[in-house]
Amino acid sequence: MVGVVYKTDEQIIAKVREPPSPKKIYRAALELSNQCDSVLKSSQILELFSPDNAAVRDKLRTYAERLIIPSSQFSRKGEDLIWKKVFYDVITSCRATKAHQSGPVKLPYRSHLMSAVGYYQHLLLKLQQQYHLNLCGVVDFAHDFSTTESVSESLIEEGIAAVHRCLLYLGDLARYQAETEGPNFKSISARFYYQALLICPKEGRPHNQLGTLAGVNYEGLEAAYHYMKCLASKVLDHPICHVI
């Protein structure tokens, strides 16, 4: 007769406390992402900012960030979910209808942008800490997180790429803020794009975004220059397009 092996209380507690795998977190994040999509399709613009819908986005952001910090095989997917589903989709929905320019949507839209800016400023520091980077004098929100321990070159490159994308998000957000807060934010937007270009000079997307910004300012020659630089770049993370 085979004896029954019972788990000790310590083993049971350890099992309960075991954190969910990145795969499970990603599945949960996808379910929340689908809820966000349903809200976008069925709701009026103002309803996007209701406490219930904002709570779903906040929960999605929390889940997706757990895929980024600490780094996992789903880090890039988590990053994309935060940008697109938590922030960008709401922004584009408002801008498509011009609802953000006046009326009851303007204030919650501005708050949404400020929340996004605050989040990515904070994430910028978290990424530098996670990948032991020292970007002081290179980016605005920096701290010396370098370590005497050995850090692989591939890990450093992964961290630099994540910081690069974070700077592009901040540049885009400042460009959107320029529509409601004033033209001074265009220079802030350009500053983030140039910082992204500084840490990844072979990447073409900062030039694409700078071209878009120049086009908004009716600076056709400068826009053409940046679009050509984008096309000539060795690395093009996204196809060249006019991001509006």
Side-chain angles (χ1 to χ4, degrees):
M1 181 177 179
V2 180
V4 179
V5 178
Y6 293 98
K7 292 183 178 180
T8 64
D9 289 344
E10 289 78 9
Q11 288 175 319
I12 294 172
I13 292 172
K15 185 68 176 177
V16 171
R17 290 179 177 176
E18 183 179 332
S21 67
K23 189 174 184 178
K24 288 183 178 179
I25 296 174
Y26 180 58
R27 286 176 178 172
L30 282 181
E31 290 181 6
L32 291 168
S33 174
N34 291 334
Q35 290 184 39
C36 291
D37 288 339
S38 298
V39 169
L40 278 173
K41 293 175 182 177
S42 60
S43 301
Q44 299 293 324
I45 296 297
L46 189 58
E47 292 177 10
L48 297 177
F49 302 101
S50 71
D52 289 343
N53 291 330
V56 172
R57 291 195 298 271
D58 286 344
K59 191 173 182 181
L60 171 57
R61 182 178 62 185
T62 300
Y63 275 50
E65 187 174 316
R66 290 170 66 184
L67 300 171
I68 304 172
I69 310 290
S71 178
S72 73
Q73 66 194 87
F74 297 99
S75 290
R76 185 64 189 273
K77 293 182 183 295
E79 185 183 311
D80 289 342
L81 283 172
I82 292 174
W83 172 244
K84 185 164 177 31
K85 301 302 179 182
V86 177
F87 298 118
Y88 184 71
D89 281 355
V90 175
I91 294 169
T92 52
S93 295
C94 292
R95 295 176 77 239
T97 60
K98 309 292 185 184
H100 65 295
Q101 295 180 351
S102 61
V105 173
K106 185 175 182 178
L107 183 58
Y109 174 80
R110 292 171 64 192
S111 298
H112 182 74
L113 286 178
M114 287 188 286
S115 173
V117 170
Y119 174 77
Y120 281 109
Q121 289 174 350
H122 188 56
L123 181 61
L124 196 58
L125 285 171
K126 282 188 174 182
L127 290 171
Q128 292 172 73
Q129 182 179 27
Q130 173 168 279
Y131 292 101
H132 305 292
L133 302 175
N134 178 10
L135 297 177
C136 294
V138 181
V139 301
D140 290 337
F141 306 97
H143 184 78
D144 185 359
F145 290 108
S146 57
T147 176
T148 55
E149 299 177 5
S150 177
V151 181
S152 68
E153 186 175 342
S154 61
L155 190 66
I156 293 175
E157 289 178 355
E158 181 182 323
I160 289 292
V163 168
H164 173 263
R165 291 189 294 270
C166 198
L167 289 168
L168 290 175
Y169 297 146
L170 284 166
D172 289 347
L173 290 167
R175 180 158 53 86
Y176 302 143
Q177 284 183 301
E179 297 175 351
T180 56
E181 309 298 332
N184 288 341
F185 278 83
K186 292 179 182 179
S187 61
I188 298 174
S189 177
R191 183 177 178 85
F192 284 125
Y193 292 148
Y194 277 116
Q195 287 176 7
L197 194 59
L198 189 61
I199 65 171
C200 291
K202 295 181 180 180
E203 232 281 358
R205 195 178 173 197
H207 279 297
N208 183 62
Q209 305 304 79
L210 284 165
T212 301
L213 189 62
V216 171
N217 292 334
Y218 303 103
E219 299 168 346
L221 185 60
E222 185 174 346
Y225 165 79
H226 284 297
Y227 286 136
M228 291 301 294
K229 290 285 287 184
C230 178
L231 287 171
S233 64
K234 294 183 178 180
V235 181
L236 187 58
D237 192 31
H238 293 275
I240 185 169
C241 60
H242 298 276
V243 183
I244 298 177

